[in-house]
Amino acid sequence: MASTQLQRTAGTSTENYKYTFSAWVKRTGVLGSSSSNEVLFSNWYDSSNSAYIRFEDGDDNLHVYDKYGSTIDLNYKTNMKFRDCNSFYHIVVNVDGSRSANTRCKIYVNGSEVSCSSTTDTGGTLAMKTVTTTNAMRLGAIRTSGGAEYYFSGIMSHVHYIDGTGYDASYFGETDSTTGEWKIKTNVTGVTYGNNGFFILKDGNSVTDQSGEGNNFTVAGGTLTKTED
């Protein structure tokens, strides 16, 4: 997505401590950089409140971070490194602040839950779910309180965000009975998206929400290009 970012200003959340993010992602070679911060999804609105899902600069792990009211509520990093630029990864982040410590964030890659190191896991209200008049959800980018911006330089497809429920990977993908490969579910069923939930980039570069909730995005920077791979 290079310098492209998609943006939406959210309304009232279904609740403040549960969400699911699912996306099919392909990296394009920006690996190991000390300043890349390849951001998949974010909600950042001031120096005390921020949330993001990104490939960590310098080590290529997936990092899920959430700080609400100056308190770091979640700080998870996968032990797995994401360095394959030839294939898509299916990434699902399932967050539930009501679960017990060290289980509040579950990350699935290609259908399997992966191990993480957690430095902070306090639960409760999440900045990712918090709505103000100035912040916005951003897909493929983050804008810090100081005005700096970081982007995701790869490809994303079939992006789901669930407001208020934690789902595992089986809702969005399945194992092919012939090849044994993890494959996409093009028509997801049994999912309740919630007030701010959405499903975009289903077929090409449309930012029109396919979830039925009407939560469309806009292209807030760069050019969103349809890329078939």
Side-chain angles (χ1 to χ4, degrees), residues 204-223:
N205 58 340
S206 173
V207 295
T208 301
D209 179 21
Q210 302 296 312
S211 74
E213 298 296 330
N215 294 326
N216 303 326
F217 274 67
T218 59
V219 180
T223 302

Side-chain angles (χ1 to χ4, degrees), residues 2-159:
S3 61
T4 301
Q5 62 172 299
L6 309 183
Q7 180 175 310
R8 177 181 176 270
T9 300
T12 303
S13 293
T14 299
E15 52 68 64
N16 291 325
Y17 54 91
K18 296 180 185 178
Y19 73 87
T20 306
F21 175 80
S22 171
W24 292 76
V25 175
K26 185 176 183 181
R27 304 197 71 186
T28 56
V30 184
L31 305 177
S33 171
S34 61
S35 59
S36 59
N37 282 324
E38 294 275 293
V39 179
L40 300 179
F41 189 48
S42 70
N43 188 18
W44 184 311
Y45 55 99
D46 60 36
S47 60
S48 299
N49 304 274
S50 60
Y52 54 74
I53 301 169
R54 73 184 185 190
F55 294 114
E56 187 76 347
D57 54 354
D59 58 21
D60 300 315
N61 304 85
L62 189 71
H63 189 193
V64 178
Y65 178 88
D66 196 290
K67 181 174 70 169
Y68 176 72
S70 299
T71 298
I72 299 175
D73 296 301
L74 292 176
N75 189 10
Y76 276 69
K77 188 183 292 188
T78 63
N79 294 315
M80 174 183 180
K81 296 183 182 295
F82 294 77
R83 291 176 173 169
D84 183 357
C85 296
N86 297 309
S87 303
F88 274 86
Y89 294 104
H90 180 216
I91 294 172
V92 175
V93 177
N94 171 334
V95 173
D96 184 345
S98 68
R99 288 194 292 250
S100 58
N102 300 315
T103 66
R104 294 187 175 104
C105 179
K106 298 183 179 182
I107 300 173
Y108 301 84
V109 180
N110 297 338
S112 299
E113 187 175 357
V114 298
S115 62
C116 295
S117 58
S118 171
T119 58
T120 308
D121 183 352
T122 60
T125 297
L126 299 170
M128 185 67 85
K129 304 299 300 296
T130 305
V131 178
T132 74
T133 58
T134 57
N135 69 322
M137 291 180 169
R138 288 182 170 84
L139 190 68
I142 192 170
R143 179 178 296 159
T144 72
S145 57
E149 294 187 340
Y150 301 93
Y151 304 97
F152 176 60
S153 60
I155 302 169
M156 278 195 275
S157 181
H158 281 244
V159 179

Side-chain angles (χ1 to χ4, degrees), residues 172-194:
F172 311 100
E174 60 189 347
T175 301
D176 189 287
S177 59
T178 301
T179 65
E181 293 180 317
W182 187 252
K183 66 179 183 180
I184 197 168
K185 284 186 177 180
T186 56
N187 293 299
V188 171
T189 59
V191 166
T192 300
Y193 283 89

